[in-house]
Amino acid sequence: MIEIDKVTKTFGAGDVAFTALRDVSVTIRENEFFTLLGPSGCGKTTLLRLIAGFEPPTIGAIRLSGRDITRLPPNQRPVNTVFQNYALFPHMSVAGNIAFGLEMLGKPKDEIAKTVDEMLRLVRMEELKHRKTSEISGGQQQRVALARALAPHPEVLLLDEPLSALDLKLRKEMQIELKRLQSETGITFVFVTHDQEEALTMSDRIAVMSGGRILQIGNPREIYERPSERFVANFIGESNFLNGQLSAGSVTLEAGGTFTVQPPQGVADGKVSVLIRPEHVTVAGTGAEGAALTATVENVVYSGEATVAHLKLKTGEAIKARASNLPGASGLLETGAQVGVSVAPGAVTVLVD
Amino acid sequence: MSEQAAYRPGELEAEAQAADNRSRWMLALPAVVIITLAAAGPLMVMVVYSFLTPGDYGNVVWKFSLEGWMNTLVQRDIFDDTLIWADAHLSIFWRSFSLSLITTVLTLIFGVPTAWFIATQPPGKREFWLFLITVPFWTNLLVRTIAIQELLRSEGVINLVLLKLGIIDAPIQMMFTNFAIGFGMTYVYLPLMVLPVYAAVDKLDFRLVEAAHDLYAGRWTAFRRVILPLIKPGIIAGSILVFIPSLGAYVTPRVLGGGKNLMFGNLIELQFGQGRNWPLGAALSLMLMAAVMIALMWYVRVTSREQSDG
Ligand SMILES: Nc1ncnc2c1ncn2[C@@H]1O[C@H](COP(=O)(O)OP(=O)(O)O)[C@@H](O)[C@H]1O
Ligand SMILES: [Mg+2]
């Protein structure tokens, strides 16, 4: 278990001081696949470096399994890192790289040899054992970096955008591979990505970061379906934002229709903005039963497995409706047509902002 | 070109290739001329001279002789004409070799941390430090050596300060010792070590050092297992750049070593000057060159073997 306790990190001093992390607190559980998700520059790498011990926090404490490791140098922490650029030792072979951590821990020779072979098998790289790291492909380097970090069997594995340099197909394969490795080894994974889809498919829990803060922590379903802020909703998936009036547990949209909601804490009755995911919005004929709103069709975009209709409500607000394409169905919507719009029950989420 | 009508495939290409080769030779010509005149030519003169007989007032007499080569290692006893080892020469060889080695080691000890320090400064400040390191290059070697003499001599700065502080009662004799030569050569050749090592450290990816610490390496182990192997090319280049000119150093041993503590370069100079034995001088020069080449090959082989082991 890793506890990040009110950590602030400021680089530089005076005029050039830059605060990369602001009062960040999070508890990462044992054996968890925990993901830090956020746009570039939001402080994900900085938080990883603090956990690894490459930098001390300016304020706050970091505890590992209850032990305060805030000032412990990196070589004394049972934490290993898969670096974004892999940082493989160019003067050592694949096997030499994987053996390095074990040698530093003073493990006996035969045990090292055994673990190295085991790791090579785990990442499916047995044939390339004696290759130089400069003579293997990016995907293979990525696996070696993974094997090198896993070999000493750390309590925590930190992965800094390990898949971002790979092409799409390889990335999908490695996503599955990483999940397999995590469940096989039982090691806590702290995974950094700026790819929301990757975060949703792989994580037990996700922390969404922006501007050096953690905005929301939750499992993928909570993050996707109940984002607390507009930023989170916008960063993850497609969103419709509408204005409405909250009173006594239900929201009446300006564009019409009243929906039962579970408002988050700290949101008072009154004007609010709400989120509705496009796939929870259905286009129906005008006056169709359950169609709470009416709209004009602005544009229809076909994208293979789904069709997205861009609609304009009578308030002028834009709303997107996304529907899976069924075999043989022809496009019924025409630009400029008046349509009814229905929203799935429970699909309206009140945002904090 | 016999079949004019249909040119065979490949003919045009061959023609173009030939023209290309010709123009390449033309381009290389100045370099070939300079290398012949400046390097190969004098070398041939030396080889020929080393097999001739010394003239009475210097120069050579065109008569074949092996005396020049023999005299590098042995000499004839003046009384009974037997051959004995040329002890003076051997001690000079040994002094040259050991002082050059010591100079190389000293420049390593002082140069590597200096290079490291400069390379880890913020980019704006590096130029300043590099500038300081290279300033001595722009000053005449003789002037710098005499400045060192000012430091070392009996009434020099070091002795005066030590006397004033009461650390010593009488001045220490530092001039005209091996220490003085080693001190002077280390000073003179230090930049030749610092610059290549700086270039290597500058290229070093510090994320690899972090990776080593992440994998439980302490400072010293990270240095030995990751940093050292990666900056080794710079260290090798620096060592070669210091060791080779040290072996043939002439000005510094002459000024700081006086007449007694000769080094290889001074011995050679002596044969062409007062010694009036040009064949011996030529033979000694070629010997020095051969020694340098053997040392180089050995060094490169040993270090590159270690590299592939790691
Ligand atoms: N050593 C440093 N000195 C100054 N600023 C830094 C340093 N490291 C990171 N930063 C700044 O902190 C912010 C967060 O960086 P980082 O954690 O690398 O973001 P991310 O990994 O989320 O893209 C960036 O604006 C970056 O410029
Ligand atoms: Mg980053």
Side-chain angles (χ1 to χ4, degrees):
Chain A
M1 188 174 74
I2 313 165
E3 290 162 88
I4 314 287
D5 191 2
K6 299 201 182 67
V7 162
T8 294
K9 176 68 188 176
T10 305
F11 291 108
D15 291 346
V16 293
F18 179 83
T19 302
L21 292 175
R22 291 169 197 275
D23 198 27
V24 167
S25 290
V26 53
T27 301
I28 300 166
R29 301 173 194 140
E30 212 135 310
N31 301 349
E32 191 171 29
F33 197 115
F34 191 89
T35 297
L36 300 173
L37 173 66
S40 183
C42 71
K44 308 179 296 289
T45 298
T46 304
L47 185 52
L48 273 202
R49 290 175 60 80
L50 256 51
I51 300 174
F54 299 132
E55 318 252 8
T58 311
I59 310 172
I62 299 171
R63 284 183 289 277
L64 181 64
S65 311
R67 185 164 70 118
D68 190 328
I69 60 164
T70 315
R71 302 283 149 186
L72 213 57
N75 54 324
Q76 291 174 26
R77 301 187 184 199
V79 174
N80 287 151
T81 309
V82 177
F83 293 87
Q84 185 163 7
N85 63 337
Y86 313 143
L88 296 177
F89 302 125
H91 57 299
M92 297 179 197
S93 65
V94 166
N97 268 277
I98 300 175
F100 190 86
L102 299 162
E103 286 169 12
M104 293 302 111
L105 289 173
K107 296 269 193 268
K109 273 233 157 63
D110 49 339
E111 191 190 319
I112 294 178
K114 217 181 99 223
T115 313
V116 168
D117 287 338
E118 206 175 291
M119 286 300 135
L120 285 167
R121 211 164 30 249
L122 198 64
V123 297
R124 309 203 169 110
M125 291 274 298
E126 291 106 317
E127 312 83 53
L128 302 176
K129 183 175 179 182
H130 299 294
R131 283 280 189 92
K132 278 195 156 185
T133 53
S134 53
E135 292 164 353
I136 58 179
S137 74
Q140 290 165 339
Q141 289 183 5
Q142 204 275 328
R143 284 156 195 259
V144 176
L146 198 60
R148 182 178 74 172
L150 281 171
H153 204 89
E155 282 181 42
V156 179
L157 189 72
L158 307 175
L159 304 103
D160 193 353
E161 309 207 19
L163 308 182
S164 61
L166 308 181
D167 58 48
L168 187 66
K169 190 161 170 291
L170 194 54
R171 190 152 81 221
K172 296 275 182 222
E173 278 175 31
M174 284 308 295
Q175 286 177 0
I176 296 166
E177 198 99 321
L178 273 180
K179 274 302 265 189
R180 173 179 70 89
L181 285 173
Q182 198 251 339
S183 58
E184 278 179 24
T185 55
I187 294 173
T188 306
F189 275 36
V190 182
F191 183 88
V192 163
T193 183
H194 61 255
D195 180 337
Q196 45 109 1
E197 195 191 328
E198 193 167 279
L200 290 174
T201 51
M202 298 179 75
S203 319
D204 293 327
R205 284 194 306 153
I206 299 170
V208 183
M209 295 180 69
S210 170
R213 287 177 207 279
I214 292 185
L215 302 180
Q216 189 174 5
I217 302 172
N219 64 35
R221 187 170 281 272
E222 286 163 353
I223 295 283
Y224 185 77
E225 293 181 2
R226 296 267 167 268
S228 61
E229 298 183 30
R230 185 184 284 253
F231 179 89
V232 177
N234 222 353
F235 194 71
I236 297 171
E238 294 276 303
S239 314
N240 294 307
F241 298 110
L242 298 175
N243 293 321
Q245 202 70 28
L246 175 66
S247 76
S250 64
V251 162
T252 305
L253 296 180
E254 287 176 5
T258 301
F259 304 89
T260 316
V261 292
Q262 297 167 326
Q265 285 187 346
V267 177
D269 282 2
K271 198 168 158 13
V272 290
S273 48
V274 302
L275 162 77
I276 306 168
R277 295 290 185 192
E279 65 272 23
H280 298 152
V281 179
T282 320
V283 178
T286 23
E289 207 180 332
L293 312 166
T294 52
T296 316
V297 178
E298 296 251 288
N299 200 359
V300 181
V301 179
Y302 174 83
S303 67
E305 91 275 16
T307 298
V308 176
H310 294 254
L311 311 168
K312 187 170 238 163
L313 295 169
K314 64 178 191 227
T315 52
E317 290 167 307
I319 186 168
K320 284 173 285 190
R322 181 188 162 90
S324 298
N325 288 325
L326 296 173
S330 58
L332 294 171
L333 293 176
E334 274 178 32
T335 306
Q338 289 285 321
V339 291
V341 174
S342 66
V343 176
V348 178
T349 304
V350 177
L351 299 170
V352 170
D353 63 348
Chain B
M1 297 287 159
S2 53
E3 291 161 72
Q4 289 129 340
Y7 47 83
R8 281 164 302 185
E11 196 167 272
L12 275 184
E13 284 88 339
E15 181 61 24
Q17 185 76 47
D20 194 38
N21 278 345
R22 273 196 302 277
S23 72
R24 265 171 214 236
W25 269 107
M26 294 303 284
L27 283 174
L29 201 60
V32 172
V33 169
I34 287 172
I35 289 170
T36 313
L37 288 181
L43 196 62
M44 287 315 295
V45 172
M46 285 308 226
V47 171
V48 172
Y49 273 30
S50 70
F51 290 107
L52 298 177
T53 309
D56 287 340
Y57 305 102
N59 214 331
V60 285
V61 175
W62 282 86
K63 187 162 149 258
F64 179 80
S65 161
L66 283 175
E67 284 281 305
W69 280 99
M70 284 199 15
N71 284 339
T72 57
L73 292 175
V74 293
Q75 63 190 46
R76 244 175 248 290
D77 193 289
I78 1 175
F79 302 111
D80 55 11
D81 231 25
T82 52
L83 288 177
I84 52 172
W85 287 108
D87 291 337
H89 290 188
L90 293 182
S91 78
I92 288 173
F93 297 163
W94 173 244
R95 177 182 298 117
S96 292
F97 177 77
S98 53
L99 271 178
S100 300
L101 204 62
I102 289 169
T103 302
T104 309
V105 171
L106 287 176
T107 52
L108 271 173
I109 291 173
F110 293 110
V112 173
T114 309
W116 184 272
F117 169 80
I118 298 174
T120 50
Q121 291 295 301
K125 288 191 184 150
R126 289 184 208 171
E127 278 101 59
F128 169 72
W129 290 105
L130 283 176
F131 172 75
L132 282 191
I133 288 288
T134 44
V135 159
F137 272 152
W138 309 342
T139 318
N140 185 290
L141 176 59
L142 198 57
V143 174
R144 280 187 284 155
T145 312
I146 288 170
I148 294 268
Q149 190 179 12
E150 271 314 296
L151 282 177
L152 297 181
R153 68 197 175 89
S154 296
E155 305 84 39
V157 177
I158 294 178
N159 272 318
L160 279 183
V161 169
L162 290 178
L163 281 169
K164 276 263 156 51
L165 291 174
I167 295 171
I168 51 172
D169 300 326
I172 306 170
Q173 172 64 37
M174 288 183 285
M175 278 304 289
F176 313 129
T177 61
N178 287 341
F179 166 80
I181 302 178
F183 184 91
M185 293 214 304
T186 303
Y187 161 72
V188 167
Y189 294 123
L190 192 60
L192 296 180
M193 181 62 80
V194 171
L195 294 178
V197 176
Y198 164 79
V201 177
D202 191 41
K203 268 199 307 207
L204 179 70
D205 183 352
F206 279 85
R207 290 173 295 195
L208 297 176
V209 183
E210 282 190 344
H213 288 310
D214 190 60
L215 292 162
Y216 313 106
R219 272 160 191 266
W220 168 243
T221 333
F223 178 74
R224 199 173 52 80
R225 292 288 309 271
V226 176
I227 297 170
L228 202 55
L230 291 175
I231 64 171
K232 207 175 197 173
I235 289 182
I236 292 174
S239 303
I240 290 172
L241 284 178
V242 170
F243 185 76
I244 289 173
S246 296
L247 264 187
Y250 168 70
V251 171
T252 312
R254 180 67 188 269
V255 175
L256 299 177
K260 280 189 303 178
N261 297 286
L262 293 186
M263 282 182 58
F264 217 126
N266 311 106
L267 184 60
I268 294 171
E269 187 261 352
L270 200 62
Q271 307 314 320
F272 286 97
Q274 292 160 298
R276 291 183 193 154
N277 193 343
W278 288 23
L280 174 58
L284 285 168
S285 307
L286 293 170
M287 238 175 103
L288 176 61
M289 213 182 79
V292 164
M293 273 163 67
I294 290 168
L296 255 183
M297 285 192 300
W298 172 80
Y299 192 63
V300 169
R301 255 191 58 185
V302 166
T303 45
S304 64
R305 187 172 336 125
E306 270 174 28
Q307 196 114 35
S308 54
D309 281 353

